[in-house]
Amino acid sequence: MLLEAEASQLVLVDYQSRLMPAIAGGTDVLANALRLARIAQLLEVPVWGTEQNPSKLGENPSELRALCQRTLAKMQFSGVAEGLGEWLRPPAKPPAGNARSLPKHLQKPAADQRGAIVIAGCEAHVCLLQTALELLDEEFEVWVVTDACGSRTDRNRDAAFDRLAGAGAELVTTEMVAFEWLESAEHPQFKAVHALIK
């Protein structure tokens, strides 16, 4: 199963100013998050951000915030617990047709449905983990971008990846996401995306 740009959304969890200096490899983690957001923008993939208790931990970097359609300020560790799921799932359209309409199981899904959630963030074993697990519970496909995730220790980060993989999330890297979204070297944005990842 490969990612498709037109079926994806990107969620970037808590890359906040007072948190990132404590994250192991935090500079690289943030650089990959920015790279992901720029690639998503080039390929018209919606980008959402979250910030945990921003009055205490600060905001996400302004460059990252500018690439997000919206940023959710939250106190719960899971963004889903504070409404992220509603942002990711478009409002249901009123039923069309009449009693002769096709049964629901024969109807085609809405074209604007984007059920593949590509997610990355900090800390991997707390806010990222809890958000991703709840997205899985909400029946989204969850793709965790490992090189754009961090914790204060590698042990905590790796334990989060083990748990997420066991729960059904796909573990990927920034480059895997980029090339799967592109699908081909003939994509009109190939050169622009390639420039961001080389």
Side-chain angles (χ1 to χ4, degrees), residues 124-126 128-129 133 151 153-167 171:
H125 66 295
V126 184
L128 180 279
L129 174 78
L133 289 174
S151 292
T153 68
D154 291 343
R155 182 171 174 80
N156 278 323
R157 182 202 61 208
D158 294 346
F161 294 159
D162 289 344
R163 188 167 171 199
L164 287 163
L171 302 185

Side-chain angles (χ1 to χ4, degrees), residues 28-102:
D28 291 337
V29 166
L30 179 58
N32 282 325
L34 286 163
R35 192 172 286 122
L36 278 169
R38 289 184 187 112
I39 292 166
Q41 190 173 55
L42 284 169
L43 301 179
E44 299 180 5
V45 172
V47 182
W48 311 95
T50 71
E51 294 171 343
Q52 175 67 28
N53 192 5
S55 66
K56 299 286 186 199
L57 294 175
E59 293 183 338
N60 290 337
S62 57
E63 189 177 9
L64 188 67
R65 283 182 126 249
L67 294 165
C68 295
Q69 290 183 237
R70 290 174 70 184
T71 298
L72 175 71
K74 62 188 180 67
M75 293 299 289
Q76 300 284 329
F77 298 125
S78 167
V80 176
E82 299 220 20
L84 180 64
E86 286 81 33
W87 290 11
L88 299 174
R89 186 168 277 128
K93 294 181 178 171
N98 54 35
R100 297 178 143 189
S101 295
L102 284 173

Side-chain angles (χ1 to χ4, degrees), residues 124-183:
H125 66 295
V126 184
C127 295
L128 180 279
L129 174 78
Q130 292 185 31
T131 300
L133 289 174
E134 289 203 1
L135 288 170
L136 286 166
D137 285 347
E138 295 281 325
E139 299 185 358
F140 287 99
E141 293 174 22
V142 175
W143 304 70
V144 178
V145 189
T146 57
D147 60 352
C149 293
S151 292
R152 284 164 291 142
T153 68
D154 291 343
R155 182 171 174 80
N156 278 323
R157 182 202 61 208
D158 294 346
F161 294 159
D162 289 344
R163 188 167 171 199
L164 287 163
E170 295 285 338
L171 302 185
V172 293
T173 66
T174 300
E175 287 197 22
M176 291 166 74
V177 172
F179 285 109
E180 288 179 34
W181 277 349
L182 283 169
E183 295 182 34

